[in-house]
Structure formats: structure tokens, C-alpha cells
């Protein structure tokens, strides 16, 4: 990781690849995670590898949603753990959210490896290992969640999620914040707050907004949420992907 000079034009992208590769080697990320990363990278390239204004607005609305929530939870999978472990812990701290490990290809070993990795990055309580509740409408393994975690949450951050689970969580009535570089993915479509941005930029940006809004009143936070238009954000991102000029 240290070998890539920061001046390299593809620094961020190469750093991201290294983190994912490292995640696979440590048993945190599944091999399918490499494919998800490749898909994401293609969209990021088309977006100009930057946080577009609509994604920044979405990150601010997401921060407001998390600060308003009774029980916010950040869901972490193998790619998220490999890419932004410390940043997720900071976001949880800034918003009072729980962290829950939730995997598409769930194995106990990978659950433990991710929980340990998050603890090494400062997480105190990592949920997801109890798995004493189920998301309705999904097959057994993918439905597993903690009763006092995602099952109970009113606002859930689901980064890099597959469409089925994002739709099932939305059907449970949860307010979903989705981080996904593909504005046309089913996850982004299911979201109340779609953040079309690379997770390595989006999570620190949400934390910065949460810190800036820490003293805002409920009315101010509610106004930010109300003003945010998810359809407009998705449309702006799709336009940027289709029409943007490559750097
Ligand atoms: P859907 O079922 O919603 O169509 P999918 O089957 O494409 O989703 P996956 O292949 O699991 O889902 O990919 C996960 C999603 O995560 C993809 O849409 C991809 O663009 C996105 N993604 C991958 N890496 C990142 C990243 N670093 N930051 C943000 N999004 C990412």
C-alpha cells in the first residue's frame, strides 16, 4: 500500500484495490467482493472519481437522518470492512449508530474475522453474531440479523448491498441510506437516501456532515431531510455517469 505514490493519477483507485485484495487474503472479503469492486470502479471512473454535488447533498441528508433516528445501524459487509473500517467506527461514534456485520455469503469465520477487524479499528460493540432475528422475504442465511440491531433499527445504512436485501429492508419500513456507485442498482432505487459515491469518500463525508450538524435542532434536521429529493439525486447521478466528461 505504501508503495503507491500519492501523486499517482490513479492513487485512490489503486489504494482501494489493495485494500480489497488484502481483505480477501485476510478472509474478511469474499472473492465475489472483487467483482463488486470492479463494478463500482467502472461507475466511479465515469463519475470522474469525485463526490458530485448531489452525492454531497445526499450525505448531508443521510447524516441528518442518522441524527434524528431512534436506533440507527450501519451494516457492514466484507467490502465495507476492508475499505473503511476505521471510518465506519467514526461515523457510528458521530451519529450514535450501532455497527452490525451482515454478509451475503455468511460464514461464522468471516463474521468473526470482520468483527475482530472492526474492533482493531476501535469498535466497541459489534452486532450481527447473535443472529436471533430474520428479515422477512429472504432465504435463511441472508435473512439473519440481530433482534437488537438491524431488526430493531429505524434507519439503516446499507453500503454496497445487493438489491434483494435492500428491497426487503425497505419493505420492513426501514429508512435506508444506500451507498452505491451505480445509481440504477436496485439498492439505490430502494433507498430513501441514495448516496452515489465511492464508499471511501462517502463515509468520511457523512461523518463530517454529522459533526457539523451535531448542534442542529430537530427542526433544522427535519428540514434537511424534507428538502432532499431521492429521485432528483438518482437522476443527477445518472446524468453525471452518462454525460460526464472524463478527466
Ligand atoms: P443490485 O442487485 O442492486 O442490482 P448488484 O447485484 O449489482 O446490485 P453487487 O454486484 O453485489 O450488487 O454490487 C454491489 C454494488 O456496490 C454495485 O452496484 C457496485 O456499483 C457498488 N460498489 C462496489 N464498490 C463500491 C464502492 N467502493 N463504493 C460504492 N459502491 C460500490
Amino acid at each position: 500500500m505504501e508503495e503507491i505514490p500519492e501523486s499517482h493519477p490513479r492513487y485512490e483507485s489503486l489504494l482501494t484495490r489493495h485494500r480489497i485484495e488484502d481483505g480477501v487474503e485476510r478472509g474478511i472479503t469474499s472473492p465475489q467482493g472483487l467483482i463488486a469492486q470492479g463494478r463500482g470502479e467502472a461507475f466511479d471512473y465515469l463519475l470522474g472519481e469525485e463526490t458530485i454535488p448531489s452525492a454531497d447533498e445526499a450525505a448531508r441528508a443521510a447524516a441528518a437522518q442518522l441524527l434524528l433516528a431512534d436506533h440507527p445501524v450501519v451494516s457492514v459487509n466484507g467490502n465495507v470492512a476492508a475499505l473503511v473500517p476505521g471510518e465506519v467506527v467514526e461515523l457510528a461514534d458521530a451519529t450514535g449508530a450501532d455497527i452490525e456485520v451482515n454478509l451475503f455469503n455468511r460464514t461464522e469465520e468471516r463474521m468473526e474475522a470482520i468483527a475482530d477487524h472492526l474492533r482493531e479499528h476501535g469498535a466497541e460493540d459489534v452486532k450481527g453474531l447473535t443472529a436471533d432475528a430474520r428479515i422477512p422475504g429472504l432465504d435463511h442465511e441472508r435473512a439473519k440479523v440481530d433482534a437488537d440491531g438491524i431488526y430493531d433499527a429505524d434507519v439503516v445504512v446499507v453500503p454496497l448491498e445487493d438489491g434483494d436485501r435492500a428491497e426487503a429492508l425497505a419493505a420492513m419500513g426501514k429508512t435506508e441510506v444506500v451507498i452505491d456507485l451505480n445509481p440504477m442498482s436496485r439498492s439505490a432505487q430502494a433507498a430513501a437516501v441514495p448516496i452515489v459515491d465511492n464508499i471511501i469518500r462517502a463515509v468520511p463525508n457523512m461523518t463530517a456532515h454529522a459533526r457539523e450538524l451535531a448542534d442542529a435542532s430537530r427542526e433544522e434536521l427535519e428540514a434537511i431531510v424534507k428538502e432532499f429529493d431521492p429521485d432528483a439525486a438518482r437522476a443527477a447521478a445518472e446524468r453525471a455517469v452518462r454525460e460526464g466528461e472524463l478527466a
Side-chain angles (χ1 to χ4, degrees), residues 16 36-37 39-41 43 79 83 160-164 179-182 185-187 197-200:
T16 306
Q37 171 62 27
R39 270 186 190 239
E41 261 185 39
F43 282 101
N79 284 49
L83 291 174
L160 285 51
E161 186 57 89
D162 82 293
D164 285 350
I179 303 170
D180 192 323
L181 278 158
N182 177 3
S185 77
R186 286 184 299 146
S187 313
D197 200 4
N198 196 318
I199 190 169
I200 65 173

Side-chain angles (χ1 to χ4, degrees), residues 13 16-25 27-42 76-83 102-106 110 114 159-162 165 180-181 198-199:
S13 154
T16 306
R17 284 187 196 177
H18 271 275
R19 288 194 188 164
I20 291 281
E21 270 176 45
D22 192 48
V24 173
E25 274 164 23
I28 288 171
T29 309
S30 75
Q32 287 94 327
L34 295 166
I35 297 167
Q37 171 62 27
R39 270 186 190 239
E41 261 185 39
V76 173
N77 65 19
N79 284 49
V80 177
L83 291 174
N102 197 255
L103 301 181
F104 187 86
N105 299 300
R106 185 187 173 103
R110 213 146 71 75
I114 292 174
L160 285 51
E161 186 57 89
D162 82 293
R165 194 153 40 197
D180 192 323
L181 278 158
N198 196 318
I199 190 169

Side-chain angles (χ1 to χ4, degrees), residues 1 17 29 34-35 43 54 68 70-71 73 88 113 123 133-135 139 148 152 156 192 204 217-218 228 241:
M1 221 184 281
R17 284 187 196 177
T29 309
L34 295 166
I35 297 167
F43 282 101
S54 58
L68 283 167
D70 288 328
H71 184 190
V73 176
V88 161
R134 300 285 177 269
I135 303 169
D139 64 64
D148 65 351
D152 175 66
V156 194
S217 66
R218 256 198 109 73
F228 177 74
V241 166

